[in-house]
Coordinates of all heavy atoms in Angstrom, one line a residue:
Q91 N -51.8 42.5 -43.2 CA -51.3 43.5 -44.3 C -49.8 43.5 -44.4 O -49.2 43.8 -45.3 CB -51.9 44.9 -43.9 CG -53.4 45.0 -44.2 CD -54.0 46.3 -43.7 OE1 -53.5 46.8 -42.7 NE2 -55.0 46.7 -44.4
L92 N -49.1 43.4 -43.2 CA -47.7 43.5 -43.1 C -47.1 42.3 -43.9 O -46.1 42.4 -44.6 CB -47.2 43.4 -41.6 CG -47.4 44.6 -40.8 CD1 -47.1 44.4 -39.3 CD2 -46.7 45.8 -41.4
T93 N -47.8 41.0 -43.8 CA -47.2 39.9 -44.5 C -47.6 39.9 -46.0 O -47.1 39.0 -46.6 CB -47.7 38.7 -43.9 OG1 -49.2 38.7 -43.9 CG2 -47.2 38.6 -42.4
E94 N -48.4 40.8 -46.4 CA -48.6 41.0 -47.9 C -47.4 41.7 -48.6 O -47.2 41.7 -49.7 CB -49.8 41.7 -48.1 CG -51.1 40.8 -47.7 CD -52.4 41.7 -47.9 OE1 -52.3 42.8 -48.2 OE2 -53.5 41.0 -47.7
F95 N -46.7 42.5 -47.8 CA -45.5 43.3 -48.1 C -45.7 44.2 -49.2 O -44.7 44.6 -49.9 CB -44.4 42.2 -48.6 CG -43.8 41.3 -47.4 CD1 -44.3 40.1 -47.5 CD2 -43.1 41.9 -46.4 CE1 -43.9 39.2 -46.3 CE2 -42.7 41.1 -45.3 CZ -43.2 39.7 -45.3
T96 N -46.7 44.7 -49.3 CA -47.0 45.9 -50.2 C -46.1 47.0 -49.7 O -45.6 47.9 -50.6 CB -48.5 46.3 -50.2 OG1 -49.3 45.3 -50.6 CG2 -48.7 47.5 -51.1
W97 N -46.1 47.3 -48.3 CA -45.2 48.4 -47.8 C -43.7 48.2 -48.2 O -43.1 49.1 -48.4 CB -45.3 48.3 -46.3 CG -45.0 47.0 -45.7 CD1 -45.8 45.9 -45.5 CD2 -43.7 46.8 -45.0 NE1 -45.1 45.0 -44.7 CE2 -43.8 45.2 -44.6 CE3 -42.5 47.2 -44.9 CZ2 -42.7 44.7 -44.1 CZ3 -41.4 46.8 -44.5 CH2 -41.5 45.3 -44.0
L98 N -43.4 46.9 -48.4 CA -42.0 46.6 -48.7 C -41.7 47.1 -50.4 O -40.7 47.7 -50.5 CB -41.6 45.3 -48.5 CG -40.1 44.9 -48.3 CD1 -39.9 43.5 -47.7 CD2 -39.4 45.0 -49.6
D99 N -42.6 46.7 -51.2 CA -42.6 47.2 -52.5 C -42.6 48.7 -52.6 O -42.0 49.3 -53.6 CB -43.7 46.5 -53.3 CG -43.6 45.1 -53.3 OD1 -42.5 44.5 -53.4 OD2 -44.7 44.3 -53.4
Q100 N -43.3 49.3 -51.6 CA -43.4 50.9 -51.6 C -42.3 51.5 -50.9 O -42.3 52.7 -50.8 CB -44.8 51.2 -51.2 CG -46.0 50.8 -52.1 CD -47.4 51.1 -51.4 OE1 -47.3 51.4 -50.3 NE2 -48.3 50.9 -52.2
L101 N -41.3 50.7 -50.5 CA -40.1 51.2 -49.7 C -40.6 52.0 -48.4 O -40.0 53.0 -48.1 CB -39.3 52.1 -50.6 CG -38.6 51.4 -51.9 CD1 -37.9 52.5 -52.7 CD2 -37.8 50.3 -51.4
Y102 N -41.6 51.4 -47.6 CA -41.9 51.9 -46.4 C -41.0 51.3 -45.4 O -40.6 50.1 -45.5 CB -43.3 51.7 -46.1 CG -44.4 52.8 -46.5 CD1 -44.8 53.0 -47.8 CD2 -44.9 53.5 -45.5 CE1 -45.6 54.0 -48.1 CE2 -45.8 54.7 -45.8 CZ -46.1 54.8 -47.1 OH -47.0 55.7 -47.4
N103 N -40.9 52.0 -44.3 CA -40.0 51.5 -43.2 C -41.0 51.2 -42.0 O -42.1 51.7 -41.9 CB -39.0 52.5 -42.6 CG -38.1 52.9 -43.7 OD1 -37.6 52.0 -44.5 ND2 -37.7 54.2 -43.8
L104 N -40.7 50.3 -41.2 CA -41.5 49.9 -39.9 C -40.5 50.2 -38.7 O -39.3 49.9 -38.6 CB -41.8 48.4 -39.8 CG -42.7 47.9 -40.9 CD1 -43.0 46.4 -40.6 CD2 -44.1 48.6 -40.8
I105 N -41.2 50.9 -37.7 CA -40.4 51.1 -36.6 C -41.3 50.6 -35.4 O -42.3 50.9 -35.3 CB -40.3 52.8 -36.3 CG1 -39.5 53.4 -37.4 CG2 -39.6 53.0 -35.0 CD1 -39.3 54.9 -37.4
I106 N -40.7 49.6 -34.8 CA -41.4 48.8 -33.8 C -40.8 49.3 -32.4 O -39.6 48.9 -32.1 CB -41.2 47.3 -34.0 CG1 -41.7 47.0 -35.4 CG2 -42.0 46.5 -32.9 CD1 -41.3 45.4 -35.7
L107 N -41.7 49.8 -31.6 CA -41.3 50.4 -30.3 C -41.9 49.6 -29.2 O -43.0 49.1 -29.3 CB -41.6 51.9 -30.3 CG -41.1 52.8 -31.4 CD1 -41.7 54.2 -31.1 CD2 -39.7 53.0 -31.3

Side-chain angles (χ1 to χ4, degrees):
Q91 289 176 330
L92 289 178
T93 57
E94 289 173 356
F95 295 109
T96 303
W97 58 274
L98 203 162
D99 295 328
Q100 296 174 345
L101 298 177
Y102 266 74
N103 301 320
L104 292 182
I105 299 176
I106 307 174
L107 305 176

